[in-house]
Amino acid sequence: DLSPLRHPPHSLQHDGPAARALVGMRATKARISSTRKAEARLHDLIRGDLDYTLAHAAEPCYDIWEEEFALHYYTVLLQYAALAFGSRWAVDRGEHDYGRCLWRASDELVTQLDAFWSAEQGMFRSRIFPSGDTSPKDPDFAILMGVLHAGLIDGPHSIRDGRMFYTLGGLGVLFSTTLGINGNRNNGF
């Protein structure tokens, strides 16, 4: 069923609609839909998910693991990518005002994403708590999953962002020191 998912007004996890919008736009670009009816339903699904993402961009919520309520890098990155790609998607369909609205919102999320960088730790933090407290779960593999799921080819917060290399290194150190199965591995990837 491709009908837009109905979300409760105060849903506490906001990554799903952004992820689904990204998948829908990729399907549209790949011309997976075979009929006008399917294309119209996919358009409605994408539009509903982009509207939800726009309404809840950069709001604290539960993380991908459904454990902690905070502002999460994974979620904000998927929201950013969905809104940025959605802007182009809307303009390609002649929805120029909507495209500009999505672009402005995605542009605001870049600042939010940059706030996750910790110069002190030399890596991205996975979450920012409303209280400002840090998490013992930093770093978290969700950071890298977000980069892969967002699908940004280059630029800030993409797989080619040099800060991702440092974050990956931090994860490697964490996994080799805290998980016994990795204790005998060398630090190489």
Side-chain angles (χ1 to χ4, degrees):
D1 181 19
L2 291 177
S3 60
L5 185 64
R6 300 292 173 218
H7 302 280
H10 299 292
S11 178
L12 296 177
Q13 199 170 12
H14 303 309
D15 57 328
R20 190 169 63 179
L22 286 167
V23 170
M25 288 182 281
R26 289 174 186 143
T28 300
K29 188 175 180 179
R31 304 226 184 267
I32 291 176
S33 299
S34 58
T35 67
R36 288 196 188 275
K37 183 177 179 181
E39 287 178 16
R41 292 181 76 198
L42 185 56
H43 175 276
D44 291 346
L45 176 72
I46 294 167
R47 178 67 186 243
D49 285 340
L50 288 174
D51 288 345
Y52 181 92
T53 300
L54 186 61
H56 297 283
E59 286 182 3
C61 63
Y62 283 98
D63 61 349
I64 186 174
W65 316 120
E66 300 178 359
E67 295 175 337
E68 294 183 329
F69 189 81
L71 192 59
H72 298 278
Y73 185 84
Y74 177 87
T75 302
V76 177
L77 183 56
L78 263 61
Q79 290 173 334
Y80 164 74
L83 295 173
F85 291 132
S87 173
R88 285 180 245 149
W89 174 83
V91 168
D92 287 348
R93 277 145 195 76
E95 301 175 39
H96 298 281
D97 290 340
Y98 187 59
R100 281 190 291 276
C101 178
L102 295 174
W103 183 254
R104 281 190 301 274
S106 72
D107 197 40
E108 291 173 14
L109 290 180
V110 172
T111 303
Q112 199 73 37
L113 286 167
D114 287 338
F116 285 92
W117 176 252
S118 170
E120 180 182 313
Q121 293 175 311
M123 67 181 84
F124 280 108
R125 295 175 294 160
S126 61
R127 65 208 68 190
I128 299 173
F129 290 109
S131 65
D133 292 338
T134 59
S135 172
K137 295 181 181 179
D138 263 339
D140 185 320
F141 197 74
I143 298 165
L144 298 179
M145 288 177 56
V147 171
L148 295 173
H149 294 170
L152 302 172
I153 302 299
D154 56 20
H157 309 284
S158 73
I159 198 71
R160 291 186 179 150
D161 185 335
R163 298 173 296 179
M164 287 303 155
F165 178 76
Y166 292 114
T167 301
L168 179 61
L171 283 164
V173 169
L174 173 71
F175 291 158
S176 67
T177 59
T178 60
L179 301 175
I181 195 168
N182 295 323
N184 294 328
R185 294 186 57 170
N186 64 22
N187 285 336
F189 295 96

